[in-house]
Amino acid sequence: MTLEELDRSYLWHPFTPMREWLAEPPLVIERAEGNELIDTEGRRYLDGVSSLWVNLHGHAHPAINAAIAEQLAKVAHSTLLGLASTPSILLAEKLVALAPPGLTRVFFSDSGSTSVEVALKIAFQFQQLRGIAGRVRFLALRHAYHGDTIGSVSLGGIDTFHRVFQPLLFHTHHINPTIDELHQAFASHGNELAAFVLEPLVQGAAGMLLSPPGFLREARSLCHKHGVLLVADEVATGFGRTGTMFACQQEGVTPDLLALAKGLSGGYLPVAATMATEEVFRQFLGLPEERLTFFHGHSFGGNALGCAAALASLEIFEREQTLANLPHKIAALRARLGEKISPLPHVFEIRQKGLMVGIELRHSGSRPYSAEEAIGARVCRIVRRHRVILRPLGSVVVLMPPLSITADQIDHLVDATAAAIAEATSETSPARSAPLPQPSQYHTVPAPLRGIFLVGTDTGVGKTTVGVGLLALARARGLTPVPFKPVETGAAPEPEDALRLRSAAGRGDLAREIICPYAFPPPVAPALAAEQASTRLTLAGIVAAAHRAAMHGDFLLVESAGGVLSPYSEDLTAADLAAALGLPLLLIARNALGTINHTALAIAELRRRHLPLTGVLFVDTTAVSTPDRAHNPRLVRALTGVRVLGTLPFLPVPTPDGLAAALRLNLDVDVLLPSLS
Ligand SMILES: *Cc1c(COP(=O)(O)O)cnc(C)c1O
């Protein structure tokens, strides 16, 4: 068999849909030189993503090769459990000298995931040892990626990677990287947090998302104030990628724990380190019977060959003046991207920090590419014909060349990428018609919420009843649902519907204000009730409240007021809110005479606004059957072409469990709730 056939017979590739892999002959790399990978046919490819973000100084660098060979002649590996070793000592000394001041202890492991896992466990145990009860949760950024072990996956928020493992994970609070949400999170959870874990400046695997300037410094100061440890995951950003040795240095921040891997060995061998301050370390000093030991360690932690390679890589930084050479490379890359990539249709936004680049592609009119279109993968397949290796993140094309990339190679990398994007995007779509939206200077995360938006054809059609049933179902499926009813009128004195939703969700832990930020006593439309209370409901205010509520769980159920065009203010309707939240909609209709017209009108308006309607659900709101009931769903379906999910029968005693069971029995609930299995 050829190598290609053997690969397809015996290998299982990481993060790879294997059915597609098996359908095409793989590219087999045999050697490499400098910034180029060479395949079995002798073809050379520019390593445009540093062999998955690890390589720094190029392949087969003579100094690193020599350091490994020299160490190999002495010893390849000895354990750090109960023994010390020369290369690990020298590397630790070097790391302490280079890292932000105050990080004085180095714990070695062997991958980015383990370096984060170690940081999590140290932070957790540190809080226990300090004797402060209840600091058992972590805060992380939305769309976070910190590795693939269960602890680091628990911090994660990338749906495609992490959703399937949900039942195995511990609960983590997530926020968007905004100063506002940061303050909110510390105000609500400051005293239950062991640590805040984040990638400083750039969220790599999230799609090269940039955090706003000052965010890291603010996080540092809030962590201090609340006794929460700050864990910086610089697995991707470390070792020059963002232009400085570490990203934290750009905001003058020393985290309490720093996770390092990927670039640490220059991309040669699996070495990782978790660095800690003396304050953290001291907590673990004590007599054996005090049980202060950190019981964690990997067989190959502090491996001698890996440490020797890492040491050689760090010496290259000095000898080749690697950091001093970066600014003009970064500027050249920025200029070339602006010239060749920016003008292309379908380039929605270019996000660059140092030599880390994400090029987000969207259809014209900024409509996102679907996962099925696999636009990023298509670009990367085409760019190989131009002799460049890239690896995308969904519809984001990533460029992350080795720090040793030359001026000519920067031009080739960008030109080849531009050609591939142009070809891949012209395959599917006609030329751009609408003007492209202006890329924002700092990308604020669009924060896709997960959940559903309930809207009625009218008031009193059974929205809350359906909400109660769906929340009970979501809970039974292991989700942590959060109900959100932004405004309730007729709240005299309490917003009864919101409280019913809260109880069905089993979220007695959430304050009423989180679930229902605006409650007004008069039983009138929200716009009028707000007016009478001399308040004005704004879209920004309600959207911010929705995102705050969403932080408390993993499935947001929004119940809007009344019908599609029910007003929250003179210029704000339920439909506007639905558009701003971006959740799939469920239209709820009263199964009674008159519903066909109401439902068809509501659907027409949702269509006009291009809102994502999942389907229509009819509710028998009374026990009295009318002759039209049996036919309404069919006629609505025929008139509008919209999917009718079913009819919820009238329950004299509508308990959450009873409603959940009735929903399960009468409609396909899988289209409404994320599946967990
Ligand atoms: C890649 C990555 C990890 C995981 O590192 P592995 O070595 O693949 O386990 C963790 N955190 C960040 C920020 C990463 O980019």
Side-chain angles (χ1 to χ4, degrees):
M1 277 199 277
T2 64
L3 282 171
E4 285 84 351
E5 287 162 348
L6 288 168
D7 181 276
R8 287 195 278 177
S9 303
Y10 298 125
L11 268 87
W12 188 341
H13 287 262
F15 279 100
T16 302
M18 286 304 289
R19 179 184 285 276
E20 283 161 63
W21 178 267
L22 295 176
E24 274 182 45
L27 177 56
V28 184
I29 299 300
E30 191 176 66
R31 302 180 293 127
E33 270 173 32
N35 303 320
E36 291 180 334
L37 298 165
I38 305 165
D39 73 7
T40 42
E41 312 284 317
R43 287 182 290 244
R44 289 171 170 267
Y45 302 85
L46 181 59
D47 189 356
V49 287
S50 301
S51 292
L52 237 300
W53 315 1
V54 298
N55 192 281
L56 300 178
H57 310 292
H59 296 274
H61 193 290
I64 300 180
N65 285 7
I68 294 172
E70 197 182 315
Q71 182 59 43
L72 187 58
K74 295 177 187 161
V75 54
H77 179 68
S78 63
T79 183
L80 291 195
L81 278 68
L83 286 177
S85 79
T86 314
S88 67
I89 295 169
L90 297 177
L91 177 58
E93 181 196 24
K94 191 101 192 157
L95 285 174
V96 169
L98 290 171
L103 290 163
T104 48
R105 292 284 163 177
V106 184
F107 188 102
F108 284 114
S109 62
D110 47 33
S111 75
S113 306
T114 57
S115 72
V116 172
E117 198 81 22
V118 164
L120 287 184
K121 289 174 74 176
I122 290 180
F124 188 88
Q125 192 173 347
F126 170 83
Q127 301 288 8
Q128 309 281 310
L129 295 179
R130 279 210 303 180
I132 301 172
R135 289 200 175 272
V136 295
R137 293 241 177 272
F138 292 90
L139 179 67
L141 295 181
R142 208 174 285 283
H143 308 303
Y145 176 78
H146 294 289
D148 296 334
T149 54
I150 291 300
S152 52
V153 169
S154 296
L155 297 174
I158 299 185
D159 216 40
T160 9
F161 301 174
H162 299 140
R163 175 152 68 180
V164 60
F165 300 110
Q166 197 70 38
L168 291 179
L169 309 180
F170 55 76
H171 184 258
T172 299
H173 299 294
H174 285 102
I175 56 168
N176 293 303
T178 68
I179 307 258
D180 227 33
E181 292 201 21
L182 190 63
H183 279 269
Q184 281 290 340
F186 276 87
S188 326
H189 309 296
N191 50 18
E192 53 172 287
L193 294 179
F196 177 23
V197 185
L198 85 170
E199 284 183 84
L201 308 195
V202 189
Q203 287 187 266
M208 300 294 148
L209 304 181
L210 309 185
S211 306
F215 179 77
L216 178 63
R217 210 174 311 124
E218 194 67 14
R220 172 68 285 180
S221 112
L222 282 177
C223 282
H224 262 315
K225 206 163 111 205
H226 290 265
V228 174
L229 294 184
L230 179 67
V231 179
D233 176 354
E234 292 228 29
V235 170
T237 54
F239 303 100
R241 278 308 164 200
T242 66
T244 47
M245 188 57 100
F246 299 106
C248 282
Q249 291 164 330
Q250 297 193 24
E251 299 214 351
V253 160
T254 298
D256 300 290
L257 291 158
L258 175 64
L260 302 173
K262 290 202 170 115
L264 174 56
S265 76
Y268 282 68
L269 285 161
V271 207
T274 307
M275 299 186 71
T277 60
E278 211 60 18
E279 186 197 343
V280 169
F281 174 73
R282 256 201 310 273
Q283 205 58 246
F284 290 78
L285 290 179
L287 301 168
E289 61 270 26
E290 291 180 87
R291 296 234 147 236
L292 304 185
T293 308
F294 181 51
F295 288 109
H296 186 112
H298 298 278
S299 310
F300 281 101
N303 171 263
L305 292 178
C307 289
L311 206 53
S313 164
L314 293 176
E315 285 163 5
I316 291 172
F317 271 95
E318 290 162 31
R319 208 168 41 247
E320 296 185 359
Q321 291 294 295
T322 308
L323 292 180
N325 285 326
L326 285 180
H328 73 261
K329 296 186 186 188
I330 294 167
L333 179 59
R334 189 182 304 280
R336 198 79 175 187
L337 287 167
E339 185 190 332
K340 296 291 173 82
I341 306 250
S342 279
L344 296 175
H346 298 253
V347 170
F348 173 69
E349 187 171 63
I350 302 175
R351 301 186 281 268
Q352 181 188 1
K353 188 87 208 169
L355 290 181
M356 300 174 83
V357 176
I359 302 163
E360 181 170 346
L361 303 178
R362 294 209 188 164
H363 288 289
S364 42
S366 74
R367 182 168 56 86
Y369 277 97
S370 68
E372 293 68 44
E373 288 172 288
I375 187 67
R378 214 160 350 125
V379 170
C380 295
R381 206 172 317 121
I382 295 169
V383 85
R384 282 191 191 174
R385 296 207 308 264
H386 302 272
R387 298 281 192 262
V388 171
I389 301 287
L390 296 180
R391 166 102 188 160
L393 291 161
S395 55
V396 176
V397 177
V398 173
L399 308 183
M400 209 193 287
L403 309 184
S404 51
I405 190 167
T406 65
D408 286 349
Q409 287 171 332
I410 288 175
D411 291 349
H412 177 52
L413 174 65
V414 175
D415 296 355
T417 305
I421 291 175
E423 184 179 334
T425 54
S426 71
E427 277 172 16
T428 47
S429 342
R432 162 165 56 122
S433 49
L436 276 182
Q438 278 300 308
S440 56
Q441 187 191 2
Y442 292 103
H443 178 85
T444 49
V445 185
L449 296 167
R450 181 151 84 133
I452 194 151
F453 189 102
L454 306 189
V455 63
T457 52
D458 192 359
T459 188
V461 296
K463 277 197 314 288
T464 306
T465 309
V466 172
V468 163
L470 283 176
L471 288 164
L473 263 180
R475 210 176 147 192
R477 293 193 161 202
L479 293 163
T480 309
V482 180
F484 182 66
K485 184 171 172 72
V487 183
E488 184 162 339
T489 58
E494 287 295 322
E496 297 303 332
D497 286 353
L499 297 183
R500 251 185 96 199
L501 293 170
R502 180 171 74 176
S503 139
R507 298 308 305 266
D509 58 316
L510 298 180
R512 188 276 280 167
E513 288 73 15
I514 292 175
I515 286 163
C516 178
Y518 303 98
F520 302 108
V524 295
L528 186 55
E531 235 173 74
Q532 290 172 355
S534 307
T535 10
R536 195 180 152 70
L537 300 168
T538 65
L539 185 60
I542 297 178
V543 168
H547 282 268
R548 278 199 295 277
M551 262 174 24
H552 294 277
D554 52 18
F555 182 77
L556 189 71
L557 180 136
V558 181
E559 184 187 331
S560 68
V564 173
L565 293 182
S566 288
Y568 286 103
S569 77
E570 281 178 3
D571 56 5
L572 174 62
T573 63
D576 297 325
L577 179 60
L581 294 180
L583 289 169
L585 277 84
L586 174 61
L587 180 64
I588 298 171
R590 181 196 298 114
N591 194 10
L593 200 57
T595 201
I596 296 175
N597 173 56
H598 273 143
T599 310
L601 284 174
I603 289 169
E605 180 61 12
L606 294 176
R607 282 214 169 112
R608 194 180 69 82
R609 292 167 177 256
H610 304 290
L611 291 173
L613 178 60
T614 304
V616 183
L617 172 55
F618 287 91
V619 179
D620 291 343
T621 52
T622 63
V624 188
S625 191
T626 49
D628 56 290
R629 267 195 182 176
H631 306 283
N632 288 333
R634 173 176 59 84
L635 286 170
V636 164
R637 155 95 211 150
L639 268 173
T640 66
V642 164
R643 177 171 190 173
V644 173
L645 298 170
T647 304
L648 178 65
F650 178 76
L651 299 189
V653 189
T655 61
D657 288 346
L659 287 168
L663 284 173
R664 213 183 287 119
L665 206 65
N666 289 289
L667 57 132
D668 180 5
V669 291
D670 284 337
V671 302
L672 298 177
L673 296 175
S675 72
L676 289 173
S677 51

